[in-house]
Amino acid sequence: MRECVLVLDNIRSVSNVGSIFRTADCLGVSKILLVGITPRPTDRFDRKRKDFAKVSLGAEQSVKWQYEKELIVPIKNLKRERYQIIALEQIANAKNLRNFRPKDKFALIIGN
């Protein structure tokens, strides 16, 4: 069974992040790392955000998540734990996602 960690890097939209939580819950993602300005399910006082919960439909309670201020340290930690690091990008020399076969442990970076 594959283990997937999503890394959401500086995504601004609460709706997009909440939607990603729902999809991650459905797909069995192990954990979501929220980096930088990416909205969290809780506010700075650790209270549930209603706007987030409205979109995530409870997935924020069933998917493990963690906040990180910067991207570098968590990526180094994932590499140390032998995760394959993948960045989702649309550039000319990118591999086609349909042809990609991840290793057993991988981290997918989405955002900036």
Side-chain angles (χ1 to χ4, degrees):
M1 182 177 202
R2 288 195 172 91
E3 188 173 333
C4 174
V5 173
L6 286 182
V7 181
L8 307 184
D9 181 37
N10 289 308
I11 297 175
R12 293 184 182 274
S13 168
V14 173
S15 296
N16 287 345
V17 176
S19 182
I20 290 170
F21 264 74
R22 278 196 338 260
T23 302
D25 189 23
C26 174
L27 295 175
V29 167
S30 307
K31 181 190 227 178
I32 298 178
L33 295 178
L34 306 168
V35 180
I37 63 168
T38 303
R40 292 172 259 177
T42 57
D43 65 17
R44 63 185 183 161
F45 303 110
D46 204 31
R47 297 178 299 208
K48 288 185 179 183
R49 292 183 56 169
K50 291 180 182 178
D51 57 346
F52 197 102
K54 182 178 179 181
V55 179
S56 65
L57 299 173
E60 77 282 5
Q61 297 174 27
S62 57
V63 177
K64 292 181 191 175
W65 64 273
Q66 174 183 330
Y67 172 75
E68 297 287 343
K69 190 173 182 179
E70 301 287 331
L71 184 62
I72 297 300
V73 172
I75 293 300
K76 285 181 180 180
N77 290 338
L78 288 165
K79 283 183 177 181
R80 196 174 308 116
E81 295 173 27
R82 301 187 153 302
Y83 279 83
Q84 178 183 16
I85 308 300
I86 306 159
L88 192 60
E89 185 61 74
Q90 294 181 350
I91 56 175
N93 61 345
K95 292 183 181 181
N96 187 321
L97 189 58
R98 291 183 182 108
N99 300 329
F100 179 72
R101 299 293 175 251
K103 294 182 180 178
D104 286 339
K105 291 172 58 170
F106 66 99
L108 177 61
I109 304 171
I110 302 170
N112 290 325

